[in-house]
Structure formats: C-alpha cells, structure tokens
Amino acid sequence: MSLALPTDPSGLLERAPRLAELLPDAALAEALARGDAWKVHALLMQRLAQERPGPTRELLAALVEDRGAFVTSAPTPRTPSFLGTGLRWKGQPAPTAPDAPFVAERTVTVLGLPVWPLNDYLVRGTPSAPLQVIGQVPPPARRAWRRAGVVGCVVLGLCVGVGLGGALLSLGQKHAVSVINGLSRPVVVRIGAQHWEVAPGARVDGVVTLEKGEVPHGRASWPGSEWPFEDVVLPTAGDHIVYNVRGAATLEGQGPSASRTMGLLSRRPLPGTGSLLFPDEALVVAKADWESTVLGHMEAGRWQLAGQVASAVAEVEAGNVRARELGARSVLLADAQTHDHRPGDPRAKNTATFARMLMHQWQNDLGAQSLAQDLMASAGLGKEALERYYEHENAFRDQPLPALYLRRARTLEVLSSLALPEYESLAKRFPDSPDVGRALLEARWRKELEDPLASRELTWGPTRDFVRDTSSRLEAFAAKHPPETVEQLELFVRIHLRAWRKDAATALVHRFGQDPRHRSWDFLVLAGRLAEVVGPAHTPYVLRDWIPPAMTRQPERMLLLDLLTGRRMPKEEERLALKSPIDQTVLALTRGTLEQPAHAMEQAAKESDAVLSRMAPEVVALLALELTRTGDARGKRLFTTSLPLLFARDALLKYLHSGEVTPAFSRLAPDLRAAAVLVRARREAKEGYTVFTGRLDGLGGLDALQGFAARAAPVWVKLAFDACMDTKVPHKHPEGVMVMLKGDLIQRWNQEENNREGRRPNCVARVVEPTGLPPPKDAPAAGTPAAGTPEAGNANGADP
C-alpha cells in the first residue's frame, strides 16, 4: 500500500511500507500529509510506550528502531578535531554490508573519548573519500539519560583534574620534535634546551620539555656560527612538533588507514617551517632536499611556491647559484602568469622582491648582484637599481666591488664598444682587483664580438692586434689570478681561441681539471668541446680520465656528453635502451637538431617543461628561433624553459626580425648569438625551398667552441641544398614568343626538368654562395635519400 504524493510528500511510506499497517490513524495521517518524518517518529514512540505486548508492539519497535527511514535533508555538518579533541563521528557500517548507509552519531570528544552526543545522521562510508552525509535522522530513545550521565562524569573529572593540574604543570610539558634539513649544507638546530646537528636531507627526532608559558623557538645556524640564520616560533597546540628548516623539504602527514572510513584525508601537506602532527599521524618526507621541492612545484606549474622555496634557500646559502637561477626563473614566470603583465607594473612584485633580496643580502657577491640587476631591468625597475648602486658606491668609495656594480648597472643599455672605456678607467682606479681585471677582459672580448658577422680570418689590421693584445693581457692576469669557476674558465678559453692560441687554452683547462672538485658537468662539456676544436695534437689531457665514476655508470649522461661535445652521434638503439622516457626524449631532440631539424622542431613544440628544461639552452634557442621564424606561435613557450632564454628572448627576437645588434644582444652568450645569426640567415624562396641570404663564414669566430649553431650550419645548408636539388624548376620560354609544341620539344623540356645535376649551379648560387660556407661534399644522387631525410629520393620533407 502507498499513498499519493500530496498525502505523503516525504515518501516515508515507500521507505517504511509496514507503516501503512498502523493506518487509519488521524494524528499519523496528518503528520504524513505534512511530510514531517520526525513527527511521525515521535508519534510512533508515544504509541510504543502505551502499547501492550503483542504483534502491534513488535511492529512499532521495529519501525522506531529503523531511524534511517525517517531521514530528512540537512547540510553536511563540520567535524573539526585537533589531537582527538573536538567534533567527531561515532558509528560504523554493518560488517556484512560495508558500503550500505548507516546511522552515525556526531559527538563531542575529548582526547578521543566521546563525552557529549549532539545529533545523528544517515551516512555512507567509502575507503577512498570522506564520509558522505545523506541526511539527519531522529534521536534515539533514552538520550536524555545518557547526557545526564555525561554531565555527572564531567563534574567528577573536573574535581579530580583540579587537584592534579598544579602538579602536572609544575613538571613541564614534553613534546616530540622532528627536524628536517632540506638545505645543501649541515645545520645546527636548537629548540629549547635541546640541539642537534642535522645533515643535508636528513631527519632527526627528539623530545623537548617546555616550561609553563614558554614559547618554543626553532633556531637554525651553520656549524661554528653563533648567530642563527633562521629563528621561528613553533606551534605548541599538539604533542608532535615538526620543524622544516627554511621550509625547504616537502612534508606530509600520513593518517591511519581507519581515518579514511571516518572521512579524514589519508595524507595532508605540511607547508611552512613549523607544523603539528595529529594523533596517530605519521610524518612522511616526500622530498628531502630543496631542489626536488622546487622542481616539483615547477613541474606542477606552481611558480610562486617554487620561487618562495628557492628564494628562502638563496637567502641563507652563500654561493648557491642553482637556487638563485631556479628562484629567478620561478618569479619571472609567476609574474608573467598575471593577466596583461607589463614591465614596471606593480604586479611584478615577485621579481622585484627576489631581486631586492639579492641586492641587500649578498653585497659582496658579483654573481648575485649581476642577477639582481638583470631581474630589476626585466621588471622595468632599472632606475631604482641604478640609484641603489650609486648610494652603495658612495658609501664604499675605496672598495672595487661597489664601483664594479655601478659600472655594470650604468652600461646595461650601452653597446660593448661604448662600455669599454668605463671598465678601462675602473681598472686604472683598482689595478690589483681580480674582479675588475676579469670584467675588463670580458669587456674587451665582447667588443671583439660586437659584430656577429665579422669574419674569423683576421689576418691583418688593428682588429687582429686588439685580439692578440687581449690574449696577452689574459695570460699575465691568469698567472696571478687563475680561474675559480667554470664561467671564468670558459671566458679565458674563448679569449685565447679568438687569438688562435690553442695550447694556452688547453693548458688552462688542464690545470683547472687537476682538482677533482672542479669536474662538474659544465666543465666536462667545456673540456670535451675544446678537445674536439683544437684536436689531439693540442690537447694535453684525456677527458675520460676526468669523468667521475658515478657518471660513467649513467648511460644517459655519457651519451649526452658525447653528443654535446661533438665526439660522436649516439645510435638509436643506445637511445632506446635508456630507462627514462625523459632521457630518451632529451637525447632525441638534441640529436635531431643536427640531423632532422624539422622533426625536432615539431616534437619540441609539443614537449613538456620537464623535457625542455633539461636540454642545453643553445639547443632550445635554435629550435625556438626557427619555430618563430616560420610563424609558429608555439616557439614562444620554448623561451620560458630556462633562465638564460628568459633573459635573452627579447634581444634574440629583435635580432631575428630586424638584424639590429642591441646592447642586450651584445652581452648574450656566444652560442645563443650564433643561433640567432644562423636562423636569421635563412629565408624561404617562391619555389618552396629554403635559401640562405646571410653570410655565415664568421660563425666559427663568433662561437669559438663550436656550439650547436656552428655545428648545425653545414647540416642545415646541406639539407637546404638537397631540397633545392630535388625541386623541379618548370621550363620558361621567352615572353611574347609563340612556341609550337612538338613531341621532341616537350620531351627535351621534361629531360631538363628531371635533370637533377643540371640544377646544381642554380642551387649553389641560391643556397651555398650566400652562406660563405663550402658546398656539401656528398650531395646525394637522384633517387637516394638525403642526409637526415625520412624518405628516399625526397629531401623536401627533411628541409628544416
């Protein structure tokens, strides 16, 4: 039996069909008509209290017991709880039907013990999601007696607690403490009376005792230093305190398996420096070092969080160039995500904040100040930075570094040739400063390379004398101040190679590589490229002897090293044997830039930042510029995959479109400038094949270490030459002349169009001669595949 909707709007008779056996009943029918399920339940309880034993009483007891049938809609209540105190659920599903709805009681709990029932709900529990509330159900019978018992217990507990409280407080309160060091160096941590020395990436657990009213401080300092670089107030509202030094590591709280049934999250992040663990919650160190934390945020697109962690590390770790670079890239991209971002806009706050931190924190670090100047310039705050360096130079007139910072800030918008007098006057003022001496040598070297298309064959004239004089000055300078970093070593090597002094360049690399601490990845690439450029007769070292044993056991690193240095091309089976798909893609894109540029461009435009950020900036620059030249908007994203490309993007694109050598372009790395020169020299002809209209004979002099642009130039010219040779040129007869078409004439025209070797003079004139490079040595014959082409006899598809 069922009632119509107007008579039973709540559908109660459908959920409890046996309720119809109690009809007719005037009060019950009226409550059903109003849709008041709770009123129906109350009437059933009143009738149950008066009913005599028998079938009707059993029916009433069964209906009253099934409170889920009387559910009414209600919003999901909040159940906040901390350390077992607060609001929690009480109840669990039937063992035979764990997925079925059940009635749970919302209670007030103290230290995990239920003390005061509030109300009841019909809920459903799932293992992988919070508790789902279906609706509210009527309260059970005899709840008033239960509440009275709770009140009595609370009063009794208060009496006992007052007597014991004073004794417990006088003894102090103990807290479990976990300290995690995500920095790159060991730190000494002090909390209360306890202190620990924590290694990089390590976790230390302990116990601290706090007096009444004492606020715990987490103080971190470097070993041997009395002054902490971090002093934070830790929370005390729990038994387990977590201190994450500088917030560098990624931490999570792992709840018990039963918490998923009660609607709690199985894992929750623990951000910041100080946090607390819930009862029965375990601490999980997801990423133990700051770099993994930053890279995790970057891969997920959380640029602002990545910038905050990297900035926190760069603020305390002296000389951490990696943290500065990751922080700079993160803040630049965080501000770039702002809609309609413009340089100088107040929304560039992340970039400006990071740059000001570098300016004020590391006043004796030339690298940090140079990065800060570039960041302030990119944010449109170059005037503010210049005023700051004027004040700094006036405050320290007798020190060379403040004067050097000011000269660099003043010459950011000046060509290298015009900036050289500034550094010459500064060298006269501080003749014994190694920083000023290196800055002068770099300024002279940049002046030599100001014209990117200048020929390397400087056989006469003042330019050759200037180059030789720079190399001679460097030799005297390096005898007193040997290079201390790979960047300084690369500058010295390029200066000597510019003057054709191969032995002097390799001697510097040989001495630098004697120290095992110097054998980094960048140094190995530099030493390998130099050995390939000068040849074995001028190389007094064996690169393989300098490779660390750990790297020799990493095939992806060894293959990439061979490819970047030009030693050999990795085979396809070697690439496919790598375990990581990212390593496979990085190697394929890098190799494809030299062999199949068109395919590499198309693939790079689709790859993620996780792949592109691991590639050499010069390779990505070559692909990004070529995509931009062909009108592909996807090339814009490639410029954001590394910090050098972010800073160089505007200067590279301006040179690509106009050929103008701006001050920013003249200060770029030679490999990036060479990429722009190569791509700008390429044009598209009406016939559909690529033509070079710019000379490239000075490319080797611009990038003396023969980076990817210099190595790709002959390959790209050959591909364009093959495409030209495979492109048929229709026969054209003189205008205004009527020609009687005959079979022999048509046959001769077809032979001319199909004569591939007959197109060689035209292709040499259109492709080879404009570059200034020698013609390809092994031009493929008709019907054979061109180098790097996917199909035989058709080089058009391989033209980059």
Side-chain angles (χ1 to χ4, degrees):
M1 176 180 179
S2 63
L3 300 177
L5 186 59
T7 307
D8 182 20
S10 63
L12 185 57
L13 288 175
E14 297 181 5
R15 298 192 299 272
R18 298 192 63 189
L19 187 62
E21 300 178 16
L22 300 176
L23 298 175
D25 186 312
L28 193 61
E30 182 181 356
L32 285 172
R34 291 201 309 267
D36 192 346
W38 283 30
K39 180 63 175 178
V40 174
H41 187 268
L43 292 173
L44 294 177
M45 292 184 64
Q46 293 177 5
R47 188 168 172 178
L48 176 63
Q50 301 173 359
E51 188 68 28
R52 295 180 179 181
T56 304
R57 182 178 178 83
E58 295 177 359
L59 174 60
L60 288 170
L63 291 173
V64 169
E65 186 67 22
D66 186 15
R67 289 186 293 158
F70 300 89
V71 63
T72 59
S73 61
T76 301
R78 296 178 65 251
T79 56
S81 177
F82 183 74
L83 298 178
T85 302
L87 301 178
R88 302 185 70 174
W89 293 108
K90 178 183 177 183
Q92 58 184 0
T96 57
D99 296 333
F102 63 95
V103 176
E105 185 179 70
R106 185 167 170 258
T107 64
V108 178
T109 60
V110 176
L111 299 179
L113 299 176
V115 297
W116 191 262
L118 294 178
N119 36 39
D120 300 346
Y121 292 85
L122 185 66
V123 299
R124 177 183 286 110
T126 58
S128 60
L131 212 61
Q132 298 178 1
V133 176
I134 301 174
Q136 191 173 358
V137 298
R142 297 179 299 277
R143 170 164 285 178
W145 291 100
R146 293 169 55 193
R147 290 183 173 177
V150 169
V151 171
C153 293
V154 170
V155 172
L156 181 61
L158 288 176
C159 295
V160 177
V162 169
L164 298 178
L168 293 177
L169 290 176
S170 62
L171 296 176
Q173 187 176 6
K174 293 186 177 181
H175 294 267
V177 175
S178 295
V179 180
I180 298 89
N181 175 24
L183 302 180
S184 306
R185 298 167 52 187
V187 296
V188 176
V189 175
R190 290 176 173 83
I191 302 177
Q194 302 293 331
H195 72 279
W196 307 270
E197 182 168 344
V198 190
R203 167 186 172 180
V204 173
D205 297 317
V207 178
V208 296
T209 302
L210 303 177
E211 301 296 336
K212 179 181 178 181
E214 182 182 358
V215 178
H217 284 251
R219 296 181 175 90
S221 60
W222 303 120
S225 174
E226 299 180 358
W227 301 100
F229 59 78
E230 182 176 55
D231 188 343
V232 297
V233 177
L234 300 176
T236 58
D239 294 332
H240 197 153
I241 303 173
V242 178
Y243 177 32
N244 185 8
V245 180
R246 297 300 290 177
T250 302
L251 308 181
E252 296 176 346
Q254 173 70 57
S257 58
S259 64
R260 294 194 294 269
T261 306
M262 302 308 295
L264 300 177
L265 294 176
S266 59
R267 276 198 180 188
R268 64 183 181 93
L270 301 176
T273 55
S275 55
L276 291 170
L277 288 179
F278 293 157
D280 300 329
E281 195 175 32
L283 177 64
V284 177
V285 182
K287 293 179 175 61
D289 61 291
W290 68 268
E291 188 170 354
S292 298
T293 299
V294 173
L295 294 178
H297 288 316
M298 296 175 71
E299 291 177 3
R302 299 186 293 265
W303 299 108
Q304 191 164 6
L305 290 177
Q308 291 174 0
V309 176
S311 176
V313 176
E315 187 176 2
V316 298
E317 286 199 17
N320 195 330
V321 179
R322 178 64 172 168
R324 296 172 188 171
E325 292 178 350
L326 291 178
R329 180 176 174 233
S330 299
V331 297
L332 285 171
L333 293 179
D335 287 335
Q337 287 180 342
T338 305
H339 183 63
D340 292 335
H341 168 74
R342 298 179 300 275
D345 191 277
R347 286 168 290 189
K349 60 180 181 180
N350 295 293
T351 302
T353 302
F354 183 73
R356 294 189 184 106
M357 182 275 294
L358 293 177
M359 291 172 62
H360 293 84
Q361 183 69 15
W362 305 112
Q363 297 184 3
N364 293 325
D365 192 318
L366 179 59
Q369 297 301 320
S370 300
L371 178 59
Q373 291 176 9
D374 293 337
L375 289 172
M376 294 292 280
S378 66
L381 301 174
K383 184 177 180 181
E384 175 189 334
L386 185 59
E387 294 175 354
R388 167 71 180 85
Y389 286 110
Y390 268 117
E391 296 175 0
H392 189 54
E393 201 266 348
N394 290 330
F396 303 95
R397 297 286 300 176
D398 57 340
Q399 297 184 14
L401 280 181
L404 184 57
Y405 301 156
L406 178 61
R407 295 305 182 278
R408 189 182 188 279
R410 287 172 53 179
T411 58
L412 282 178
E413 302 298 330
V414 177
L415 289 173
S416 301
S417 58
L418 301 178
L420 180 58
E422 291 269 1
Y423 290 97
E424 289 177 340
S425 63
L426 189 62
K428 294 178 181 179
R429 182 179 167 190
F430 300 101
D432 298 327
S433 171
D435 296 309
V436 174
R438 279 189 292 266
L440 176 60
L441 291 171
E442 183 177 0
R444 291 176 61 91
W445 173 68
R446 293 194 182 280
K447 179 182 180 300
E448 300 169 10
L449 301 178
E450 190 166 273
D451 182 5
L453 296 180
S455 175
R456 188 174 185 274
E457 298 298 329
L458 304 175
T459 56
W460 58 274
T463 303
R464 179 175 177 83
D465 296 337
F466 187 85
V467 169
R468 286 183 170 179
D469 183 55
T470 303
S471 179
S472 300
R473 293 189 181 196
L474 168 61
E475 190 172 21
F477 177 84
K480 296 181 179 179
H481 308 287
E484 300 174 353
T485 63
V486 178
E487 291 76 12
Q488 297 175 9
L489 177 65
E490 181 178 348
L491 172 65
F492 293 177
V493 167
R494 289 185 180 274
I495 290 176
H496 280 320
L497 289 181
R498 178 75 175 168
W500 301 282
R501 300 187 62 188
K502 300 178 181 179
D503 293 333
T506 54
L508 283 175
V509 173
H510 188 207
R511 286 196 298 268
F512 191 85
Q514 296 302 315
D515 190 345
R517 296 173 299 177
H518 292 162
R519 298 170 188 174
S520 63
W521 172 260
D522 293 335
F523 168 74
L524 294 176
V525 173
L526 172 63
R529 286 186 172 179
L530 180 61
E532 293 297 323
V533 169
V534 302
H538 300 274
T539 306
Y541 57 85
V542 179
L543 182 64
R544 304 283 299 188
D545 296 340
W546 285 347
I547 300 178
M551 187 181 298
T552 59
R553 295 188 292 269
Q554 302 176 16
E556 67 278 2
R557 304 280 281 179
M558 298 300 295
L559 293 177
L560 187 60
L561 181 64
D562 290 340
L563 182 55
L564 291 178
T565 56
R567 179 175 175 268
R568 71 180 184 93
M569 284 287 185
K571 299 178 181 179
E572 183 65 11
E573 52 269 21
E574 293 177 315
R575 184 185 72 86
L576 296 177
L578 299 178
K579 297 180 180 179
S580 172
I582 294 180
D583 294 329
Q584 293 182 9
T585 307
V586 169
L587 199 65
L589 285 176
T590 306
R591 185 185 64 183
T593 305
L594 296 178
E595 294 182 340
Q596 295 180 340
H599 179 69
M601 288 164 47
E602 186 64 26
Q603 185 180 0
K606 303 175 183 178
E607 288 298 335
S608 63
D609 288 351
V611 172
L612 298 175
S613 61
R614 295 179 57 177
M615 297 177 60
E618 56 179 325
V619 181
V620 182
L622 203 57
L623 298 174
L625 287 169
E626 185 65 10
L627 283 170
T628 304
R629 185 191 67 82
T630 58
D632 195 331
R634 296 176 298 177
K636 181 180 179 181
R637 184 180 65 88
L638 272 64
F639 285 105
T640 65
T641 56
S642 67
L643 183 62
L645 291 181
L646 272 173
F647 283 141
R649 175 178 54 187
D650 294 339
L652 290 175
L653 293 179
K654 191 167 186 179
Y655 181 83
L656 175 64
H657 297 310
S658 66
E660 179 182 356
V661 179
T662 61
F665 184 81
S666 66
R667 290 188 294 108
L668 293 180
D671 49 10
L672 298 182
R673 297 175 65 188
V677 172
L678 174 61
V679 176
R680 175 166 171 75
R682 296 169 57 82
R683 295 294 183 270
E684 294 185 6
K686 296 180 180 179
E687 289 82 358
Y689 48 77
T690 303
V691 180
F692 286 80
T693 60
R695 297 190 65 80
L696 300 175
D697 49 0
L699 204 60
L702 177 61
D703 186 5
L705 285 174
Q706 298 294 293
F708 257 69
R711 290 168 57 191
V715 179
W716 287 23
V717 169
K718 185 178 187 304
L719 292 176
F721 182 80
D722 293 340
C724 178
M725 293 284 287
D726 289 342
T727 301
K728 295 182 180 181
V729 180
H731 180 81
K732 297 180 180 180
H733 55 79
E735 296 183 2
V737 178
M738 298 298 295
V739 179
M740 184 66 68
L741 297 180
K742 296 182 180 180
D744 296 341
L745 183 61
I746 295 176
Q747 184 178 4
R748 185 168 61 85
W749 286 357
N750 290 335
Q751 291 177 353
E752 292 178 357
E753 292 178 5
N754 294 325
N755 183 12
R756 189 176 186 275
E757 287 300 318
R759 307 183 203 122
R760 183 175 296 274
N762 177 60
C763 293
V764 170
R766 298 181 63 85
V767 178
V768 179
E769 291 180 356
T771 66
L773 299 179
K777 296 181 180 180
D778 53 346
T784 60
T789 58
E791 297 180 0
N794 180 16
N796 291 312
D799 184 30

